Amino acid sequence: MTSIRNVVILGSTGSIGVNTLDVIARHPENFKVLALTAHRKIDLLFDQVMKFTPRFAVIDEAAAAKQLSTRLQQAGSATTVLHGAKNLEEVAAHAQTDTVMAAIVGIAGLRATLAAVNAGKQVLLANKEALVTAGPVFMEAVRAHRAALIPIDSEHNAIFQSLPAAFGGDLKAAGVRRILLTASGGPFREMPLEKLGDVTPDQACAHPNWVMGRKISVDSATMMNKGLEIIEASWLFNATEQQIQVVIHPESVIHSMVEYIDGSVIAQLGNPDMRTPIAHALGFPLRIEAGVSYLDLAATGRLNFLEPDERRFPCLRLAREALRAGGCAPAVLNAANEIAVAAFLNSQMRFNQIPQLLEGVLESTVNTPLRELADVFDADRRGRYGAEQWLMHHAHAGNAVQSRLTA
Ligand code: NAD
Ligand code: MG
């Protein structure tokens, strides 16, 4: 690489944020951190600011910003501390920003990620919920502002790497028959179905292959993560729902594949470590060292593949239905899922009630067209409201879970 790139990390204290800083720290001659942002983890943000000396640090609340600012000044830091959602958008779109790592979790990341897109930045997209909820608006903004979008989600990054370099959004022209999206199946792939009502948040977050934030970990256990990824892939690669097949691959060594009309299947392999897709995107089109241990195929020995069981993982079907329904259905599904996951993590509902809640909300919420961003936020509100109503009506079962878990 020739010139130094100014990077903004939205969500620097999360799992993707920390991994991004790990890769950047290996290449101080290529990257400079312009801004770091966090929701609440003030101690970690303080340490990151001291190490990477960004021009800006953004934290959600004013009181936390004041505290952080005082601590940084005492430590001799020159970083400007800002707060609030508006400032996330400001740093993402800042004139000095070259690259934005969008790694906030949930629809909370949508506005700042779009701000980066609208400013024509290079956007490294980890925040899949932005595409799931606002797909058509988001992709239109990417085209209109010529933003360079590189997927960080390991599957989508693998697909990106397995497509022709000149891929311009036309799968047919590229000779692609299908996208094969791999999934580990999460921690409950083999658990007897009748036991799924008793699993705890910590069990759900103990992913067999990946270390991730708690929300995406629960999504992996329900396989809603794969459902969201089907929707994400449909927007990124202009694929229909039928062109995306999910394959369970418990070892998480193949990160996804592209099948071509001549029968070729191109895959991207590697150890399950998010620093690989992060380094790929940061260095693109060049390759840079990521600190990842290299894949030892002989030690891996065996790679297995199986069909997903939709009885065990109803979320896969629900996500496909939302994608087929189109309009704001994916945004409603995503909102209800954010509420459901939070309720499960707070022991307010059982694990196997998550798909029940989602199905109930999708059935009771009118689908509306998605024309502009306001439609997305309206659908988000309706999805959250529907989920809260569902929780109220099923509160009895939830309370029973809580008392049992705390007994
Ligand atoms: P995480 O929970 O570990 O981190 C989330 C980050 O977002 C934190 O820095 C937090 O401070 C920030 N944040 C949370 N709520 C916020 C709010 N309201 N406003 C501003 N900032 C807020 O999550 P993660 O696992 O790093 O995942 C981040 C995103 O990347 C998610 O969309 C996830 O689906 C996606 N992703 C993650 C992985 C992974 O391996 N962790 C893999 C693929 C995709
Ligand atoms: Mg993924």
Side-chain angles (χ1 to χ4, degrees), residues 125 128 131 151-163 181 225-226 228-234 236-237 255-256:
L125 186 70
K128 67 190 80 186
L131 262 187
I152 292 297
D153 211 345
S154 57
E155 296 76 3
H156 305 73
N157 184 271
I159 295 161
F160 183 92
Q161 294 196 46
S162 303
L163 282 167
L181 199 61
N225 183 49
K226 211 51 53 181
L228 299 178
E229 289 183 357
I230 294 173
I231 303 174
E232 181 187 12
S234 80
L236 279 172
F237 307 114
H255 300 308
S256 278

Side-chain angles (χ1 to χ4, degrees), residues 59-79:
I59 193 148
D60 198 35
E61 285 172 7
K66 198 152 181 262
Q67 205 190 331
L68 179 66
S69 176
T70 308
R71 277 176 66 183
L72 284 170
Q73 272 169 17
Q74 281 166 359
S77 159
T79 297

